[in-house]
Amino acid sequence: MPELPEVEVLVRHLAPRLKNKMIRGIHVRRARVLRPTRPAALRRMLTGSRFVNLVRRAKYLCFMLQRADGGTFLLIGHLGMTGRMFLQPADAPLPKHTAVALDLGGENFVFEDTRYFGRFTLDTSMQGRLGPEPLGDGFSFEYFTHALKRSAQAIKVKLLDQSLVAGLGNIYACESLFHARVSPRLAACKLTRAQRERLWSAVRRTLADAIRFGSSMPLDWPGTGELDGLFYYGRAAGATGPQEPLRVYDRQGQPCPVCQTPIRRIVQAGRSTFYCPRCQQI
DNA sequence: CACCATGTTCCTTG
DNA sequence: CCAAGGAACATGGT
């Protein structure tokens, strides 16, 4: 479900709603998502702590908490493929695939994840392996050029490498390559300067546009509404608005929005890639 | 039954 | 040592 834009929109939604709230208790229904933190350790740290801030790093949610004694620490969340996080009234039943729920008094903060690939942990070690934020200053054109220079791997696969640039997933990697008119099969070191410039810009524009899109409508955070679809941005009941602006992802066989050539699906590094074979030639 | 799914990590192979 | 590929994780949809 979540790539950088979905996590960003979620963080903006949750941050003001969690700020200063105290955790009264914690239910761990699926200890696997805590790895390597143990349930007792998480309970000891969280119970009695308050949320002081929430920020996004790549696809991770970084909850900053403060204990009663004043000490602060980080809780790291990741939505995996199917995770959701939302607040619901204390008397509402927890969803079937609730992994963790935090008792905030009048409401529960729920981490629900059908496939349980997500994380809810005190382990921060993955942060050191992440590349720069694609929308930040660290992801300069010079950095991008240097990072692609010596790799013969397909550019699509490189865009999914979180140590190169952190936050792109399968959807936005495909969409960015389409916007840049670069073939996903092109070896990273074979991109021309013009192609690198287009792709560098397209990555940033595609992500920024998705954040804007996700921010522009009321969203169905628990995903229980009928309009919940492929994407995190299931519209809240009764909401109207533009269609999700994906041009090639999950559209194999459908006409390219630019040239009408059927969109093609191939497999790279075990993941589907969608592209227009005419607009994105090698 | 088959195959597919927004992600990450681990293991094997070269 | 590194790069690349594949399987595993777990559940549900088509």
Side-chain angles (χ1 to χ4, degrees), chain A residues 22-232:
Chain A
M22 180 180 281
I23 300 167
R24 316 288 184 90
I26 160 174
H27 302 289
V28 177
R29 290 231 244 166
R30 187 65 68 120
R32 139 176 257 281
V33 306
L34 272 50
R35 285 173 305 154
T37 301
R38 305 230 311 255
L42 189 69
R43 177 169 297 105
R44 191 177 339 113
M45 284 293 277
L46 294 192
T47 306
S49 295
R50 285 180 189 278
F51 288 97
V52 296
N53 202 4
L54 169 59
V55 298
R56 178 191 61 73
R57 169 74 171 109
K59 303 172 194 175
Y60 293 88
L61 298 99
C62 305
F63 300 91
M64 299 180 196
L65 291 125
Q66 187 165 43
R67 290 190 302 266
D69 66 13
T72 59
F73 64 99
L74 273 182
L75 171 70
I76 303 294
H78 194 292
L79 299 173
M81 294 271 266
T82 54
R84 293 173 180 274
M85 292 186 188
F86 50 90
L87 291 157
Q88 66 175 31
D91 58 1
L94 293 175
K96 180 178 179 186
H97 296 295
T98 296
V100 182
L102 305 182
D103 172 8
L104 304 181
E107 58 194 346
N108 282 315
F109 177 64
V110 179
F111 172 32
E112 183 262 344
D113 185 2
T114 306
R115 291 168 73 179
Y116 303 109
F117 288 175
R119 287 298 173 95
F120 202 76
T121 184
L122 298 174
D123 175 31
T124 59
S125 60
M126 75 290 293
Q127 303 282 74
R129 287 171 245 136
L130 295 173
E133 284 288 322
L135 297 176
D137 293 340
F139 186 59
S140 63
F141 179 70
E142 292 69 33
Y143 168 85
F144 192 45
T145 295
H146 183 75
L148 299 183
K149 197 161 50 183
R150 286 197 313 277
S151 175
Q153 207 169 27
I155 185 61
K156 155 67 166 16
V157 179
K158 295 304 280 186
L159 290 180
L160 294 180
D161 179 351
Q162 303 294 298
S163 70
L164 194 161
V165 57
L168 281 172
N170 207 30
I171 293 175
Y172 294 109
C174 292
E175 295 294 312
S176 297
L177 285 161
F178 174 75
H179 289 303
R181 306 192 306 281
V182 171
S183 169
R185 313 196 305 175
L186 188 55
C189 57
K190 298 290 192 191
L191 269 73
T192 64
R193 182 181 176 92
Q195 286 174 320
R196 285 197 311 275
E197 284 174 347
R198 293 204 305 270
L199 184 55
W200 180 78
S201 304
V203 163
R204 297 163 63 100
R205 181 163 42 86
T206 303
L207 294 173
D209 284 351
I211 291 169
R212 209 170 310 122
F213 176 77
S215 305
S216 71
M217 69 180 69
L219 298 176
D220 176 23
W221 298 104
T224 48
E226 296 146 28
L227 290 169
D228 186 49
L230 167 73
F231 207 46
Y232 199 79

